[in-house]
Amino acid sequence: MSIVLLSGSPSSPSRSARLLELVGRRLNERGHDTELLTLRDLPAQALLRADTHDRVIAEAVEKVVRSKALVIATPVYKAAYSGLVKTFLDLLAQDGLLGKVVLPLATAGSPAHVLALDYALRPVLQSLGPAQILGGVYATDRQVRWDDSTGLSVDEDIEWRISLAVDQLDESLHLRAQSHRLRRAGSEAGEGLVAQRC
Ligand SMILES: Cc1cc2nc3c(=O)[nH]c(=O)nc-3n(C[C@H](O)[C@H](O)[C@H](O)COP(=O)(O)O)c2cc1C
C-alpha cells in the first residue's frame, strides 16, 4: 500500500504542490511508496457533477481507497481550503478514510488564516473516519520560494515542521503495521489452538 500525495490547487505552478512534492521525496527517502494525485488534472465536468462512473474519477477514488495514508496539500482560499479539495472529498464514501493516516499541508498568502487547517479542513477529514490526522504544516508564500535554476527553497522553520510531520507519519505507519502483524499472529495462534482441540 502506498501513500497518496493529493494536490488540491487549481493552479499550476503551485506552491502547495511543490511543498507536497518535497514531503513526497522525504517519505520516499524513508522507504515509503508514494503516488501523486493532482486534482486539477481530473475531468472537470465529471468532478463537478460527482460522476463516480467516470473512469478517471473512479480510478482517482480507488487510489485513495487502496492507500494507507494521504498527504493533502491545499492553498488557503477565502480562509478555508480549496473548493477543488472539497469537491473531491465529497466523492469519497462516508468512511472513505477509514484506517488511514492523514497529513494536511497548506500554503497561504499570509499567516492570518493559520487556523484554516484546524477549523475548516480537519472537521471534514474527521467525518471520513481516518485512524489519525496529524498536526499539519502551514506555510506562507514568503516561506516557500521557487527559482527555475535552484528549485524549491523553504524557510528553516518550514523545513523543521516538514521533518517533524514526516517523522510522525513514518512512526504512525510503523506502529500501525506492527499492531496489525501482532493481531494477525494472535489470531493465527488462536486458530491453531482451536484446531488442536478439535
Ligand atoms: C481565490 C484565492 C483566494 C485566496 N484566499 C486566501 C486567504 O483567504 N488567505 C490567505 O492567506 N491567502 C489566500 N490566497 C493566497 C493563496 O492561498 C496562496 O498564494 C497559496 O500559496 C496558493 O497556493 P497554490 O500556488 O498551491 O495555489 C488566496 C488565493 C486565491 C487565488
Side-chain angles (χ1 to χ4, degrees):
M1 280 200 283
S2 65
I3 300 174
V4 166
L5 306 175
L6 194 147
S7 175
S9 174
S11 307
S12 178
S14 150
R15 277 194 165 83
S16 57
R18 281 170 174 158
L19 202 61
L20 180 68
E21 282 159 20
L22 176 63
V23 169
R25 284 197 295 279
R26 297 281 190 273
L27 288 166
N28 295 150
E29 285 161 14
R30 304 286 185 96
H32 295 285
D33 288 334
T34 53
E35 280 183 281
L36 182 63
L37 176 53
T38 304
L39 299 184
R40 76 186 294 275
D41 291 343
L42 295 179
Q45 183 162 314
L47 187 62
L48 282 174
R49 293 185 173 180
D51 180 5
T52 47
H53 298 298
D54 179 275
R55 186 183 54 81
V56 181
I57 297 286
E59 280 171 10
V61 169
E62 186 55 28
K63 225 181 224 189
V64 172
V65 170
R66 282 198 324 265
S67 69
K68 59 182 174 182
L70 261 93
V71 185
I72 300 183
T74 179
V76 170
Y77 276 4
K78 306 288 188 273
Y81 54 99
S82 74
L84 190 52
V85 168
K86 182 68 164 72
T87 313
F88 182 73
L89 293 178
D90 287 348
L91 299 181
L92 302 181
Q94 192 64 50
D95 58 356
L97 296 180
L98 198 70
K100 302 181 198 307
V101 182
V102 185
L103 170 63
L105 308 176
T107 59
S110 84
H113 296 131
V114 68
L115 290 176
L117 284 180
D118 286 333
Y119 67 64
L121 184 57
R122 187 174 289 268
V124 177
L125 296 175
Q126 195 64 57
S127 78
L128 295 165
Q132 193 181 4
I133 305 173
L134 300 172
V137 178
Y138 181 100
T140 62
D141 289 351
R142 291 173 65 167
Q143 293 174 309
V144 179
R145 293 166 304 273
W146 177 263
D147 182 288
D148 282 341
S149 53
T150 53
L152 182 69
S153 66
V154 298
D155 276 10
E156 208 177 311
D157 177 42
I158 298 305
E159 187 66 62
W160 180 79
R161 281 171 200 277
I162 285 176
S163 299
L164 193 69
V166 168
D167 279 350
Q168 287 172 344
L169 180 51
D170 185 47
E171 193 182 317
S172 174
L173 291 174
H174 276 113
L175 285 174
R176 293 184 60 73
Q178 204 172 37
S179 84
H180 183 70
R181 277 196 300 273
L182 284 173
R183 272 203 311 275
R184 211 174 47 197
S187 71
E188 279 169 9
E191 281 164 18
L193 278 175
V194 171
Q196 275 175 21
R197 283 189 189 142
C198 291

